C-alpha cells in the first residue's frame, strides 16, 4: 500500500485541491533527544469560573484580550465549537495536545510533528484522499468525492478531542527551504475516541489505536513514517495509562509491515479470506505494549528506520 502505516477511515475516505502550503518557518530545529513542549500562537477565549468540574468556553474575536493566558489556544477554541462540556481533566489534556511537539533531524532533512490545526485540514485531507485513491486503485476522478468524505470525517473526529488527535508532520531538507506537509497520522486514546465502525479484525475499543498514517509519495523512505509512529506512541504514553497499542496493516503492504515488526508490533489476528468477497484487502491486527514513561525523553531510544 502507498501509505506508511495502514488503518483506514471507516468510510474509505477526503478535502480540497492538493497544495504545498508553506506553514511555519522554523529557523532552528532541535532533535527529539531534547523534546520541546511549548504553547503555540494564542487566540483569546473566555473560561467561566470553575464552580463545578466542567468548563464552558466561548471564543472571542482576536482583537479582544484573553481572560486566561495560561490556556488560550486555537485548538481549544476550534475543538469546542460543538458546545459540549469538558471536564477539567479533558481541558488539561487538550492543552497538552496543543503544546505537544516532536522534532527530529533526519539524514536528509528535518521533521517537525504536532497536532493538526484547523487551517491545515484541507491540505491534510488532500494528502489522505490522494493516498487512499492510490491504494484502492481508483481513477483520479474519484479523488474529489474522497475529499468530501475525508473532510467530513476529520471534522467529526475533531469534535472528539482530547480522546483522539490528528498529527501532522512537516519536513524541510535545509534551513533555506520552507516547510511542506510530509505526512499525517490519527491517534485514538480511549473508548470515547474510538470509531463506531472500526475495520476488521476489530481492535479493543478501550485500547489506544493508531490509524490513517500516510507519507507524501515524494518523501517516502526517509524515516518519516517511522517517526510519525514514534510520535504517536509517545503521545499515547502521556495521554493514557493503557499500554497495549493497536493498528492495522494490509497483508500486501510489505514495507509498513516490516516497519511495524521492527518497532515491536506483533500480529494478533488476521482477516478471514472471506473478506475478499467485500472487495477489501485482508488486514493484520497488530499490537505492541509500550513502556510506562518516567521522563519525557525516555522514548528517545528508538532509532530512525529507512521506511516511509
Amino acid at each position: 500500500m502507498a501509505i506508511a502505516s495502514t488503518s483506514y477511515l471507516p468510510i474509505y475516505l477526503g478535502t480540497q485541491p492538493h497544495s504545498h502550503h508553506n506553514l511555519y518557518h522554523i529557523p532552528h530545529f532541535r532533535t527529539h533527544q531534547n523534546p520541546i513542549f511549548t504553547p503555540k500562537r494564542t487566540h483569546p477565549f473566555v473560561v467561566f469560573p470553575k464552580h463545578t468540574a466542567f468548563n464552558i468556553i466561548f471564543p472571542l474575536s482576536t482583537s479582544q484580550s484573553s481572560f486566561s493566558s495560561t490556556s488560550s489556544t486555537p485548538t481549544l477554541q476550534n475543538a469546542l465549537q460543538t458546545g459540549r462540556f469538558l471536564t477539567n481533566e479533558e481541558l488539561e489534556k487538550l492543552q497538552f495536545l496543543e503544546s505537544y511537539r516532536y522534532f527530529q533531524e533526519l539524514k536528509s532533512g528535518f521533521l517537525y510533528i504536532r497536532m493538526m490545526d484547523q487551517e491545515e485540514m484541507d491540505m491534510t485531507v488532500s494528502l489522505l484522499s490522494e493516498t487512499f485513491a492510490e491504494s484502492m486503485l481508483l481513477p483520479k476522478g474519484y479523488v474529489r468525492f474522497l475529499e468530501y468524505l475525508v473532510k467530513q470525517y476529520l471534522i467529526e473526529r475533531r469534535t472528539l478531542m482530547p480522546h483522539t488527535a490528528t498529527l501532522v508532520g512537516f519536513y524541510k531538507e535545509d534551513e533555506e527551504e520552507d516547510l511542506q506537509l510530509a505526512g499525517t497520522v490519527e491517534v485514538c486514546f480511549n473508548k470515547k475516541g474510538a470509531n463506531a465502525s472500526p475495520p476488521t479484525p476489530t481492535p479493543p475499543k478501550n485500547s489506544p489505536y493508531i490509524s490513517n498514517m500516510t507519507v507524501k509519495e515524494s518523501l517516502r523512505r526517509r524515516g518519516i513514517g517511522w517517526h510519525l509512529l514514534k510520535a504517536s506512541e509517545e503521545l499515547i504514553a502521556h495521554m493514557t495509562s493503557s499500554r497495549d497499542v493497536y493498528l492495522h496493516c494490509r497483508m500486501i503492504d510489505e514495507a509498513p509491515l516490516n516497519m511495524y515488526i521492527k518497532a515491536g508490533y506483533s500480529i494478533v489476528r488476521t482477516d478471514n479470506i472471506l473478506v475478499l468477497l467485500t472487495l477489501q484487502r485482508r488486514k493484520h491486527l497488530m499490537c505492541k505494549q509500550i513502556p510506562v514513561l518516567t521522563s519525557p525523553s525516555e522514548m528517545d531510544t528508538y532509532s530512525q528506520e529507512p521506511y516511509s
Side-chain angles (χ1 to χ4, degrees), residues 256-273:
L257 179 60
N258 290 336
M259 181 182 77
Y260 296 141
I261 292 174
K262 285 180 178 293
Y265 289 83
S266 58
I267 298 172
V268 293
R269 286 200 303 277
T270 301
D271 269 331
N272 189 288
I273 194 171

Side-chain angles (χ1 to χ4, degrees), residues 230-301:
K230 294 303 114 184
S232 301
E233 292 177 352
E234 180 181 86
L235 198 54
I236 288 171
H238 283 285
M239 292 288 290
T240 177
S241 59
S242 180
R243 291 293 167 256
D244 291 329
V245 180
Y246 289 84
L247 53 79
H248 283 99
C249 182
R250 298 196 315 177
M251 292 179 64
I252 64 171
D253 295 334
E254 183 177 352
L257 179 60
N258 290 336
M259 181 182 77
Y260 296 141
I261 292 174
K262 285 180 178 293
Y265 289 83
S266 58
I267 298 172
V268 293
R269 286 200 303 277
T270 301
D271 269 331
N272 189 288
I273 194 171
L274 295 179
V275 77
L276 297 176
L277 297 178
T278 66
L279 303 181
Q280 297 184 46
R281 299 284 189 177
R282 296 179 69 190
K283 301 177 295 297
H284 296 303
L285 177 65
M286 307 184 73
C287 180
K288 172 184 177 178
Q289 189 170 73
I290 60 175
V292 177
L293 289 185
T294 58
S295 65
S297 60
E298 192 169 311
M299 296 190 75
D300 296 340
T301 55

